[in-house]
Amino acid sequence: MLERKLRLLPADALTAGAIAHGDLLECAPALPLCEAARLMSERRVSSIVVVEEGQILGIWTERDALAINFTDPAAFLRPISDVMSAPVRTVPAAMSLHELTQRFREEQMRHYLVVDEESGRRCGIVSLSDVVLNQGVEHYLKLRKVDSLIKGGLRVLPADTSMTEATRLMHEAALDAVVVDFGAGLAAKGQGRYGIVTERDVMRLVARKELGLAIGELASRPLLTVDEHYSLYRARAMMTERCIRHIGVLHSDGSLADVISFRDILGSMELAYVDELHQALHESDRALSHSRRNLYLAEQVIESSLEGIMVTDAQGLIISVNPAFSRLTGYAAEEVIGRCPTLLSSGRQSPAFYARMWVCLQTEGKWQGEIWNRRKSGEIYPELLHITAIKDEKGQVTHYAAVFTDISLLKETEARIRDLAYYDPLTGLPNRRLLEDRLQVELSHAARMCSRLAVMFVDLDRFKRINDSLGHEIGDRVLVEVASRIRLCLRDDDTVARMGGDEFIVVLGNLAQPDAAAATARRIVAALRRPIAIDGRELVVTTSIGISIYPDDSADSATLIKNADIAMYRAKEEGRNSFQLYQPAMNARSLEHLALETALHGALQRDQLLLHFQPLVRADTGEPVAVEALLRWQHPELGLVSPADFISLAEETGLIVPIGEWVLRHACLCHGRWREDERAPLRMMVNISARQFRQEGFVEMVGRVLHETEMEPSLLTLELTESMLMDDTEASVLRMQKLRELGVSLALDDFGTGYSSLAYLKDFPIDELKIDRLFVRGIDRNMRDAALASAIISLGHSLGLRVVAEGVETRAHLDVLQRHGCDLAQGFHFSKPLPWQTFVAMYGKASAQAVPGSSACQAARTASAP
Ligand SMILES: Nc1nc2c(ncn2[C@@H]2O[C@@H]3COP(=O)(O)O[C@H]4[C@@H](O)[C@H](n5cnc6c(=O)[nH]c(N)nc65)O[C@@H]4COP(=O)(O)O[C@H]3[C@H]2O)c(=O)[nH]1
């Protein structure tokens, strides 16, 4: 719409000079009015310019002629300079039609003299009508009907009215024409009833200096008319064709409605034009205010943006910044405006970086990337920066706009994620991944320098117990302390990494001698042996370390780690709390371990498992009251394998579940045979492993076996260890209660070796405590062990439990235990574990009489298998 309106506005090509009437009529100031009128009539122009010595003094127009006093004959002879309008307003010939239109509107003029400014030449007169006629408003004339110009107030004068009277009327009423009525009778003769007298006729009158004429004599006849429904376009065409400036308008009934003039049509067009112009301007105002509003909005967005915004001129000098810029950089707007953005440079980017940025800006008009900048405080921070070159319509860069965000937080998060990927979150040590990277680097370095390097596998002994008994939180704190102690034993450029759980790997670079690694290992073992105080509790953690050396043990990282692991296992086998250097023979051992695992899988099917039985006797009388079933594996090549060598393997592989069931069933079956022979009642004690105990359906399995073997439940005691119960005490107690509901008894095995939580002990539904043989071993010589054993016995009794001492090897052991009131004893002093047949032979009949040191016991000791 706006576009259409603007198209109506003067085209730039059209100028005042181009549309001005060039036939400028000029006269001297002294020229009598009648002469001027004659000239104007002859030339059929509506104005004459009064010139003296080349200077325009004024202008006289047809309209001015109506002001002449026609009753005074001298009036026609007055010099034109007396009545002319002055001064004459001029416009330059080069003035655009648009500007000219504005000028007409502002100054309310009807004519301008057009002057060529360069030459001073007068080009002609231009009227508002000329402007309008050149605006292409024909469409408007076609749309409007003649009746739209009917004003009413038609002046019809009788034909005998004097010219003097008529001109006076015209002048007073500012009419440029009056209709002359010749009467209805004349109309009948075909001449038309009406004629017309116009300003131009008045001009002719002035020229002829004729006074006293009646208007009928001067009028043009007949009055040309158009129907009121004709378009203005058609009316104008008729007037142009007939060279007339007035036309009558007839109502549909043929009566004369009005006279309209060319000037009326033009006036109406002017109105339309001005209206259009007004609308166009209004719309352009609206567009302007719209764009102002957009500008305001943009300003608001920039002001409130969280991103820093900086605008520079084409030379790169800052011309504006937003508040976020000041917040992010610390610079107030007035501190940076007029300065170069280099004041933000951190110095971290090379000149080549900036050169690339400029090339990109010049070729692509934009650049985006990360950059380090410096705040006013001096702090360097990373930002994500977008720069856009802003160009004018000619494609010339006028500004650069830079928008940036502080990405410090993002970078920190990235770093944290990287840390998580490469560091152990608990101890802050490198993790396996970073260790592997570093080890690679160290290995290449060692290869280049022909130096040695050690890889240590550090594993805490029995750490699981701490976790199981004291909970993971304490376990974690122990690990953090262990990590820091290991770190303190190393040089700055050595690496310690946590591989997971309680395993650490240490890499010692630039090793002078393998001995140096041993020295470090010794330091670590010693450092970790010192008690760790946590919540007022002192925990002792020992460690086993395996060491492999580059290039002696291998040249590749994976093998070095594997060999260190093998050596670590050897250290554990050798009694823990020590270190071992890798030896190739160890590898063979670990292969053996693998072979053992494979063989154990077939042990059950191949009937290679068997039970040995060891009696438990009353400590005071030596009377056997129970028997413990102990598992053995009869391996075709390795011979009789001790449970110490394969129970943990069976646990790891899960084989303990079927094996455990086999043990229980087999023990119950043996016990059944014992009862068949009507021997003295004897309790059967069976070991249960942690994995077995936690196995879903374990209690049901026990119930099933009891049922299937017809075992008397009260004669079965299951041995559980402390550590297996501490893991999830509530679930353990529940399971123990269910077992008790089956009628079986429960014994707590190896008591004292775990992190005995006496608080829980009272909640466990157990019947018996078995003191670990570790405490029994020294009770005859060591006061501390004796005191401990005594304390455990009292504790057990105070909880209403039977107390069994394991590992009773000597009379002296027994004496001490008897003194402290221990209930039952088990150990080599009475009997080693025996095959069933031997056990039955030894204790079957004589069980009631058996006493420590009796001949029966002696015989058992001699006959027992290992
Ligand atoms: N030095 C010394 N040792 C003595 C003496 N008297 C008995 N022993 C040994 O002490 C161990 C007692 O069994 P445990 O503490 O339950 O310790 C058992 C038990 O924890 C586990 N075990 C044995 N059989 C089974 C089984 O069927 N199932 C499960 N889960 N574990 C079993 O293997 C461990 C070792 O069993 P064994 O090698 O048979 O070793 C047996 C026995 O031979 C003594 O006077 N001096």
Side-chain angles (χ1 to χ4, degrees):
M1 180 69 174
L2 175 67
E3 223 175 293
R4 192 182 73 77
K5 302 272 182 202
L6 290 176
R7 256 191 272 120
L8 293 175
L9 290 175
D12 279 348
L14 279 181
T15 60
I19 63 165
H21 291 277
D23 50 348
L24 190 63
L25 189 60
E26 294 181 3
C27 68
L31 189 73
L33 281 182
C34 56
E35 275 306 303
R38 189 182 56 76
L39 288 172
M40 286 164 71
S41 292
E42 278 172 19
R43 297 274 289 275
R44 298 180 75 85
V45 294
S46 57
S47 61
I48 185 164
V49 178
V50 183
V51 182
E52 187 178 49
E53 294 174 0
Q55 293 297 311
I56 292 180
L57 301 181
I59 189 166
W60 191 65
T61 66
E62 286 176 340
R63 172 62 53 94
D64 297 331
L66 293 175
I68 294 174
N69 182 359
F70 284 86
T71 56
D72 176 12
F76 299 106
L77 300 171
R78 288 179 69 186
I80 195 166
S81 56
D82 282 3
V83 291
M84 68 183 184
S85 307
V88 180
R89 306 295 292 264
T90 60
V91 290
M95 180 179 265
S96 75
L97 230 53
H98 176 65
E99 288 168 301
L100 185 60
T101 312
Q102 299 273 63
R103 182 72 71 87
F104 272 118
R105 283 189 72 213
E106 283 163 18
E107 298 182 352
Q108 295 286 311
M109 297 294 292
R110 292 185 69 85
H111 292 91
Y112 283 108
L113 177 67
V114 180
V115 179
D116 184 310
E117 280 202 320
E118 276 180 25
S119 63
R121 189 178 64 85
R122 290 183 286 276
C123 305
I125 292 284
V126 70
S127 67
L128 181 55
S129 302
D130 299 324
V131 173
V132 172
L133 281 172
N134 284 288
Q135 298 306 309
V137 285
E138 275 77 7
H139 70 281
Y140 167 80
L141 294 181
K142 283 180 183 164
L143 289 176
R144 285 195 80 185
K145 298 272 185 285
V146 170
D147 61 2
S148 66
L149 293 186
I150 296 175
K151 304 179 284 290
L154 168 72
R155 296 306 297 260
V156 182
L157 300 178
D160 55 358
T161 311
S162 75
M163 269 307 290
T164 311
E165 178 60 13
T167 51
R168 189 185 57 77
L169 266 171
M170 286 167 76
H171 181 57
E172 278 171 12
L175 299 170
D176 58 355
V178 286
V179 173
V180 181
D181 187 355
F182 288 92
L186 286 172
K189 290 179 198 154
Q191 287 200 344
R193 174 172 176 175
Y194 299 110
I196 190 164
V197 171
T198 69
E199 283 173 349
R200 189 148 291 180
D201 297 326
V202 174
M203 193 56 72
R204 278 203 334 259
L205 195 68
V206 175
R208 281 154 49 184
K209 292 176 286 190
E210 284 182 65
L211 298 168
L213 284 178
I215 54 171
E217 296 170 66
L218 203 67
S220 307
R221 288 183 72 188
L223 174 66
L224 204 67
T225 57
V226 289
D227 190 278
E228 64 179 343
H229 300 301
Y230 280 17
S231 71
L232 284 180
Y233 182 79
R234 194 165 165 190
R236 192 188 71 162
M238 283 172 70
M239 289 156 84
T240 316
E241 196 184 302
R242 305 282 184 95
C243 291
I244 54 169
R245 297 204 288 176
H246 295 85
I247 197 162
V249 180
L250 297 177
H251 285 308
S252 317
D253 62 4
S255 62
L256 183 66
D258 206 348
V259 169
I260 60 167
S261 66
F262 200 45
R263 187 186 298 256
D264 290 333
I265 295 177
L266 294 180
S268 143
M269 282 162 58
E270 281 164 12
L271 273 178
Y273 172 69
V274 169
D275 190 46
E276 297 249 3
L277 180 68
H278 177 76
Q279 273 193 43
L281 289 175
H282 175 70
E283 286 192 17
S284 111
D285 275 358
R286 262 199 6 220
L288 200 66
S289 78
H290 180 69
S291 64
R292 265 204 207 113
R293 212 169 38 244
N294 284 348
L295 204 64
Y296 173 75
L297 272 177
E299 269 171 16
Q300 289 299 304
V301 170
I302 290 171
E303 283 293 294
S304 55
S305 167
L306 293 178
E307 298 184 315
I309 298 176
M310 169 177 73
V311 180
T312 73
D313 60 16
Q315 284 67 48
L317 295 180
I318 302 172
I319 57 170
S320 78
V321 294
N322 71 343
F325 171 96
S326 302
R327 204 175 53 248
L328 294 173
T329 64
Y331 287 104
E334 55 276 15
E335 290 176 290
V336 293
I337 286 176
R339 298 182 66 184
C340 183
T342 47
L343 93 157
L344 300 169
S345 295
S346 63
R348 281 210 188 172
Q349 270 86 25
S350 63
F353 173 88
Y354 290 108
R356 278 197 300 276
M357 176 196 280
W358 278 109
V359 167
C360 186
L361 272 173
Q362 275 151 14
T363 53
E364 288 170 35
K366 58 183 188 247
W367 181 88
Q368 178 186 332
E370 285 180 17
I371 190 167
W372 288 89
N373 268 349
R374 189 187 295 276
R375 300 188 218 273
K376 189 181 174 186
S377 62
E379 184 196 347
I380 289 177
Y381 68 101
E383 63 180 40
L384 183 65
L385 176 64
H386 298 249
I387 308 179
T388 309
I390 299 170
K391 295 181 178 169
D392 60 14
E393 57 279 5
K394 291 182 196 124
Q396 291 297 313
V397 173
T398 56
H399 298 90
Y400 292 100
V403 180
F404 63 92
T405 357
D406 183 342
I407 51 169
S408 311
L409 262 176
L410 199 79
K411 289 265 164 198
E412 273 170 32
T413 315
E414 264 177 29
R416 270 224 299 285
I417 292 169
R418 210 175 35 244
D419 276 6
L420 281 178
Y422 286 102
Y423 290 89
D424 166 44
L426 177 66
T427 59
L429 294 180
N431 63 10
R432 179 186 294 272
R433 205 196 240 185
L434 184 55
L435 182 271
E436 280 165 7
D437 287 357
R438 291 217 183 144
L439 186 53
Q440 280 306 339
V441 173
E442 288 288 336
L443 283 172
S444 332
H445 180 75
R448 267 199 320 277
M449 308 304 287
C450 297
S451 61
R452 280 200 160 84
L453 173 154
V455 174
M456 290 186 181
F457 207 111
V458 180
D459 186 279
L460 304 184
D461 299 327
R462 300 195 183 89
F463 176 72
K464 193 171 173 298
R465 284 192 179 186
I466 296 185
N467 254 350
D468 289 350
S469 56
L470 301 178
H472 289 283
E473 199 211 328
I474 301 281
D476 284 354
R477 286 160 72 183
V478 169
L479 287 172
V480 170
E481 176 62 21
V482 165
S484 111
R485 288 190 188 182
I486 298 177
R487 184 73 265 170
L488 286 172
C489 297
L490 306 176
R491 298 169 303 184
D492 282 349
D493 46 357
D494 293 334
T495 297
V496 52
R498 181 171 171 224
M499 304 300 273
D502 58 347
E503 292 174 355
F504 298 84
I505 282 195
V506 173
V507 177
L508 307 176
N510 266 334
L511 214 61
Q513 292 294 326
D515 288 1
T520 307
R522 216 170 279 123
R523 273 207 304 281
I524 295 174
V525 170
L528 296 187
R529 201 166 33 213
R530 279 186 282 114
I532 297 173
I534 288 178
D535 291 346
R537 195 193 302 250
E538 291 216 322
L539 300 172
V540 177
V541 181
T542 59
T543 186
S544 302
I545 300 178
I547 307 169
S548 63
I549 307 285
Y550 167 88
D552 312 56
D553 299 327
S554 175
D556 82 276
S557 60
T559 314
L560 281 167
I561 294 175
K562 192 190 82 191
N563 289 347
D565 189 20
I566 292 170
M568 184 274 292
Y569 271 105
R570 171 51 72 88
K572 282 206 190 293
E573 284 168 5
E574 295 292 315
R576 306 171 191 263
N577 198 16
S578 69
F579 68 91
Q580 281 286 327
L581 281 158
Y582 173 76
Q583 288 156 14
M586 292 176 181
N587 221 339
R589 270 268 328 215
S590 81
L591 286 175
E592 270 172 29
H593 194 257
L594 199 70
L596 201 67
E597 188 184 323
T598 322
L600 187 59
H601 275 278
L604 250 184
Q605 289 89 341
R606 295 196 193 99
D607 223 6
Q608 292 171 353
L609 298 179
L610 62 142
L611 292 180
H612 278 184
F613 296 86
Q614 188 179 33
L616 280 81
V617 303
R618 284 181 56 150
D620 53 355
T621 62
E623 181 194 349
V625 288
V627 59
E628 181 175 357
L630 293 161
L631 183 61
R632 300 289 180 266
W633 178 16
Q634 187 65 57
H635 191 278
E637 284 135 39
L638 301 172
L640 206 59
V641 184
S642 154
D645 290 330
F646 70 87
I647 286 291
S648 57
L649 187 66
E651 279 231 304
E652 271 171 40
T653 54
L655 278 170
I656 194 69
V657 177
I659 290 177
E661 184 173 343
W662 178 88
V663 169
L664 182 66
R665 188 179 297 277
H666 202 69
C668 289
L669 287 173
C670 287
H671 194 269
R673 288 209 291 278
W674 177 272
R675 274 180 292 139
E676 275 170 19
D677 293 347
E678 293 180 352
R679 293 184 177 95
L682 199 65
R683 280 188 297 123
M684 178 59 77
M685 305 192 67
V686 175
N687 288 285
I688 301 297
S689 84
R691 177 132 182 206
Q692 224 184 327
F693 181 67
R694 282 189 218 114
Q695 181 76 21
E696 190 79 20
F698 169 69
V699 178
E700 290 72 15
M701 182 275 286
V702 174
R704 204 170 51 245
V705 171
L706 284 172
H707 176 72
E708 286 167 8
T709 58
E710 296 177 0
M711 174 74 186
E712 167 57 47
S714 63
L715 292 179
L716 177 66
T717 300
L718 301 180
E719 293 191 16
L720 312 172
T721 61
E722 248 185 310
S723 53
M724 75 167 76
L725 303 177
M726 295 303 292
D727 205 21
D728 180 355
T729 47
E730 268 180 45
S732 298
V733 168
L734 210 72
R735 207 165 289 138
M736 288 160 88
Q737 276 162 351
K738 283 188 179 163
L739 288 170
R740 289 280 294 258
E741 282 164 19
L742 291 177
V744 302
S745 312
L746 301 174
L748 200 58
D749 203 4
D750 302 343
F751 189 76
T753 53
Y755 291 82
S756 317
S757 173
L758 301 179
Y760 285 117
L761 195 59
K762 68 177 170 38
D763 296 330
F764 290 153
I766 48 170
D767 306 275
E768 220 158 4
L769 267 189
K770 291 186 85 178
I771 309 174
D772 194 80
R773 63 174 184 272
L774 267 176
F775 298 102
V776 175
R777 198 164 53 191
I779 49 170
D780 54 336
R781 288 164 280 126
N782 186 321
M783 290 296 289
R784 196 169 164 268
D785 284 358
L788 264 172
S790 157
I792 294 172
I793 293 166
S794 312
L795 173 81
H797 285 166
S798 69
L799 291 172
L801 306 174
R802 231 178 356 249
V803 181
V804 183
E806 287 185 312
V808 180
E809 292 184 349
T810 63
R811 176 75 229 187
H813 288 158
L814 184 63
D815 284 347
V816 179
L817 291 165
Q818 280 175 338
R819 266 206 307 279
H820 291 298
C822 186
D823 301 295
L824 304 180
Q826 175 184 7
F828 296 167
H829 178 62
F830 308 103
S831 169
K832 284 193 171 177
L834 304 168
W836 179 247
Q837 293 308 332
T838 319
F839 177 79
V840 172
M842 295 300 303
Y843 294 97
K845 295 275 188 300
S847 60
Q849 294 84 41
V851 287
S854 70
S855 55
C857 292
Q858 294 296 337
R861 279 205 298 278
T862 339
S864 69

